[in-house]
Amino acid sequence: MVSTLRYGWTTGACATAATTAAYTALLTGEFPDPVGIVLPKGRTPTFALARESLSDGVATASVVKDAGDDPDVTHGALVSATVRPGPPGGGVAFRAGPGVGTVTKPGLPLPVGEPAINPVPRRMMTEHVARVAAEHGGTGDVVVEISVEHGEELARRTWNPRLGILGGLSILGTTGVVVPYSCSAWIDSIRRGIDVARAAGYAHVAGCTGSTSEKVAAAVHGLPEDALLDMGDFAGAVLKYLRRHPVPRLTVAGGIGKLSKLAHGHLDLHSGRSQVDLGFVASLVDDPALADAIRGANTALGALHLAQAAGVPLGDLVAVRAKATADEVLRGAPVTVDVIVIDRAGAVVGRA
């Protein structure tokens, strides 16, 4: 995306940097400062340490989150990792320190009772612990406690309390990079992406809500990279531009939550401007008992799990309605739409 806005780093990247520094100090007696890490897509940022402490076999390192020019609630927050030896063969165990929430409701990508440290940040920290262990002769068996200063207060300004994540923030991020949120720049990049695809003569493009759905759409349809549109939350921008500048085929790909919003008629899928209506999702199924359970679910993903347990193809039902919304916005433009609904792991759970 072409933008003059400055990128930043996710809480997951900050936690990984702090963990790397703390475990290095635990093994060597010295904190690397700045500390470098490797992000999932190969970027290698470095982070200055804001605080460090080493005593009695416990090391703590802290970094200040820089969200770049994104209006992120956690910009400037102090993210800390405390690392201590764990039981032999135990690998990396995660704990929620002050300011990091705990999962209390199903429907999230973590079990109830777990610290709200999402899967990709966990993987990043585990990989970096293994690297430090290999470099300095450690076992890699550690307990990592992540904390965020004033995190419980900051979390009240997020969706965490409604989602049942209590006591603080979530440690998030799938790429480690915070992309600055500029609506006009993002929508302009969508339009330019469609222009490029048309100029290349492509008959098929995919509008994807994120990197996981992008990979799925590319794999399912064998699409080249420049036929993939980073739609983000702006489904309406894709559909309205294609209405005026059609491409013969459009695939819309995204998670069950965002595509349930599209199915309900929302064209802006951002959590701050549209919400998943579980009453609407419940209306898609014929089973009254299942519908009641869905209305009481915590998230769209939780509703999907309930439907899967009942043998009801909720993903397909959402996909059909999302396609109907897309067709309505296209207003008869010569664009054939198909929809792919995925879960958080990238498994296809619905098609239309």
Side-chain angles (χ1 to χ4, degrees):
M1 179 189 308
V2 178
S3 173
T4 59
L5 298 177
R6 188 170 60 87
Y7 282 43
W9 312 112
T10 63
T11 48
C14 295
T16 300
T19 297
T20 302
Y23 189 39
T24 301
L26 198 62
L27 295 181
T28 69
E30 298 291 337
F31 288 88
D33 189 9
V35 56
I37 62 171
V38 181
L39 298 180
K41 291 190 175 181
R43 289 183 183 236
T44 55
T46 57
F47 297 78
L49 297 186
R51 296 180 188 170
E52 56 187 59
S53 170
L54 176 62
S55 64
D56 300 325
V58 178
T60 300
S62 308
V63 302
V64 175
K65 176 174 173 177
D66 180 1
D69 289 328
D70 189 74
D72 191 307
V73 68
T74 56
H75 177 68
L78 189 74
V79 180
S80 301
T82 297
V83 180
R84 53 176 55 86
V92 180
F94 293 97
R95 302 285 184 267
V100 172
T102 298
V103 177
T104 68
K105 294 182 180 179
L108 296 168
L110 297 166
V112 170
E114 278 292 307
I117 302 170
N118 271 22
V120 172
R122 287 178 183 234
R123 188 177 75 232
M124 289 167 58
M125 284 182 266
T126 299
E127 290 172 350
H128 281 76
V129 164
R131 289 177 186 171
V132 173
E135 186 173 350
H136 299 294
T139 64
D141 299 321
V142 293
V143 176
V144 176
E145 179 182 295
I146 304 300
S147 58
V148 180
E149 195 170 63
H150 307 302
E152 188 166 6
E153 177 185 343
L154 292 171
R156 298 191 189 105
R157 296 157 57 189
T158 73
W159 288 106
N160 275 17
R162 186 175 68 86
L163 295 174
I165 297 171
L166 303 183
L169 294 161
S170 301
I171 303 300
L172 302 171
T174 56
T175 65
V177 180
V178 175
V179 178
Y181 194 85
S182 164
C183 295
S184 58
W186 200 309
I187 290 171
D188 185 64
S189 75
I190 288 170
R191 293 169 177 168
R192 300 297 76 79
I194 292 171
D195 291 342
V196 167
R198 282 166 50 88
Y202 293 140
H204 189 177
V205 296
C208 307
T209 60
S211 59
T212 302
S213 56
E214 189 173 272
K215 290 176 185 175
V216 172
V220 168
H221 292 298
L223 294 173
E225 185 176 16
D226 47 356
L228 302 173
L229 308 173
D230 187 3
M231 178 175 75
D233 296 312
F234 300 108
V238 171
L239 295 166
K240 292 171 186 177
Y241 198 72
L242 283 173
R243 186 171 69 207
R244 301 190 301 273
H245 308 277
V247 172
R249 185 171 180 188
L250 166 68
T251 294
V252 176
I256 183 78
K258 288 190 184 294
L259 290 195
S260 72
K261 295 181 188 181
L262 182 63
H264 199 192
H266 295 291
L267 301 182
D268 183 340
L269 311 181
H270 189 270
S271 60
R273 294 182 292 277
S274 63
Q275 298 179 36
V276 174
D277 185 337
L278 290 168
F280 164 76
V281 175
S283 74
L284 300 179
V285 305
D286 294 329
D287 181 338
L290 176 59
D292 282 344
I294 287 174
R295 276 188 285 270
N298 188 35
T299 62
L301 187 62
L304 174 68
H305 292 160
L306 290 169
Q308 287 173 327
V312 174
L314 182 62
D316 290 336
L317 300 173
V318 167
V320 168
R321 291 294 289 270
K323 173 175 162 50
T325 298
D327 287 337
E328 183 179 345
V329 176
L330 287 166
R331 296 181 189 170
V335 181
T336 300
V337 179
D338 74 281
V339 175
I340 300 174
V341 182
I342 63 171
D343 64 13
R344 284 185 178 271
V348 175
V349 296
R351 298 283 296 273

